[in-house]
Amino acid sequence: MQLIMVRHGETEKNQKGILNGVRSNEPIKPESFDLARDLGKRLPKDILRIYSGDLLRVRQTADLINESLNLPISYHSDINERDFGDCSDLTWEQAAEKYPGHTHEKDSALEFDYSDVGGEDVKHFSRRVVEFLEQIKLENVGNDKPILMVTSDGVMRVLYFYRRGTMLGYISNLEVRVIDI
């Protein structure tokens, strides 16, 4: 079975390079509305169902994509973005200056640990995301149709690495990645 992953539409904080993990529940920019709708028209028509994070930016994206798919959507906090702790609402440069060791490079390489600033470490974050993937697999035993997951950059990184063993580079808003599960 294939899992089609889509990163949510762009937010103001994304555009400004500000860390907006699970603590930020901002909407997507109006410019992303039509892009998400268009993506929904281009996705395979045999998708069985949609799983979505429950943050506003992710829900909005899933709902807009689903306008053309008309599928059941279930929203889950387990596939929300990681918690950056006190690094939330800072740029990468500000986070690294204020909290040495918290860099974009370490984050992208899945070597992050925000527990010292009140957030999540990579082990906890990865565990909740991978456990959710395993739940999806159980819910869809015998299914050969693709499943759509609308989520965030961090979730896509973890799942891609978990299933493919390779790291992802930059993931743009509304980018699509496919893995076999």
Side-chain angles (χ1 to χ4, degrees), residues 121-171:
D121 64 32
V122 70
K123 289 180 184 176
H124 178 266
F125 178 65
S126 297
R127 183 172 43 249
R128 79 170 155 89
V129 169
V130 169
E131 285 175 0
F132 188 80
L133 178 68
E134 295 302 321
Q135 177 185 328
I136 288 174
K137 287 169 58 175
L138 288 174
E139 289 175 6
N140 293 284
V141 169
N143 169 41
D144 61 349
K145 294 183 178 182
I147 301 295
L148 177 62
M149 178 187 288
V150 182
T151 189
S152 62
D153 169 272
V155 172
M156 290 175 70
R157 285 180 189 289
V158 165
L159 292 179
Y160 198 85
F161 183 76
Y162 176 69
R163 294 303 299 163
R164 295 243 174 121
T166 58
M167 301 302 288
L168 285 171
Y170 176 75
I171 304 171

Side-chain angles (χ1 to χ4, degrees), residues 49-61:
R49 67 176 47 96
I50 302 172
Y51 294 91
S52 172
D54 66 2
L55 294 172
L56 178 59
R57 60 189 177 268
V58 182
R59 289 178 69 105
Q60 284 180 314
T61 304

Side-chain angles (χ1 to χ4, degrees), residues 4-170:
I4 301 169
M5 300 181 292
V6 174
R7 183 179 179 199
H8 62 78
E10 187 175 50
T11 66
E12 290 293 330
K13 288 181 181 179
N14 292 148
Q15 183 182 33
K16 295 175 182 175
I18 295 172
L19 303 178
N20 64 339
V22 72
R23 295 183 184 200
S24 179
N25 203 19
E26 68 176 325
I28 60 175
K29 293 172 51 180
E31 300 89 335
S32 288
F33 281 57
D34 287 339
L35 295 172
R37 284 184 181 110
D38 182 58
L39 177 60
K41 293 173 186 170
R42 293 183 287 119
L43 287 170
K45 300 304 174 208
D46 63 340
I47 293 172
L48 185 64
R49 67 176 47 96
I50 302 172
Y51 294 91
S52 172
D54 66 2
L55 294 172
L56 178 59
R57 60 189 177 268
V58 182
R59 289 178 69 105
Q60 284 180 314
T61 304
D63 292 343
L64 291 163
I65 288 170
N66 199 35
E67 286 180 8
S68 61
L69 298 173
N70 296 310
L71 296 169
I73 300 180
S74 54
Y75 304 96
H76 302 272
S77 62
D78 287 336
I79 52 172
N80 283 341
E81 184 60 278
R82 60 206 173 280
D83 185 349
F84 292 107
D86 293 339
C87 292
S88 298
D89 294 325
L90 302 175
T91 64
W92 281 113
E93 294 78 20
Q94 292 168 331
E97 183 178 316
K98 189 170 182 179
Y99 305 106
H102 294 292
T103 65
H104 186 254
E105 293 76 23
K106 285 180 77 172
D107 189 87
S108 295
L110 299 178
E111 297 173 356
F112 61 85
D113 183 354
Y114 299 103
S115 62
D116 65 328
V117 292
E120 278 182 293
D121 64 32
V122 70
K123 289 180 184 176
H124 178 266
F125 178 65
S126 297
R127 183 172 43 249
R128 79 170 155 89
V129 169
V130 169
E131 285 175 0
F132 188 80
L133 178 68
E134 295 302 321
Q135 177 185 328
I136 288 174
K137 287 169 58 175
L138 288 174
E139 289 175 6
N140 293 284
V141 169
N143 169 41
D144 61 349
K145 294 183 178 182
I147 301 295
L148 177 62
M149 178 187 288
V150 182
T151 189
S152 62
D153 169 272
V155 172
M156 290 175 70
R157 285 180 189 289
V158 165
L159 292 179
Y160 198 85
F161 183 76
Y162 176 69
R163 294 303 299 163
R164 295 243 174 121
T166 58
M167 301 302 288
L168 285 171
Y170 176 75

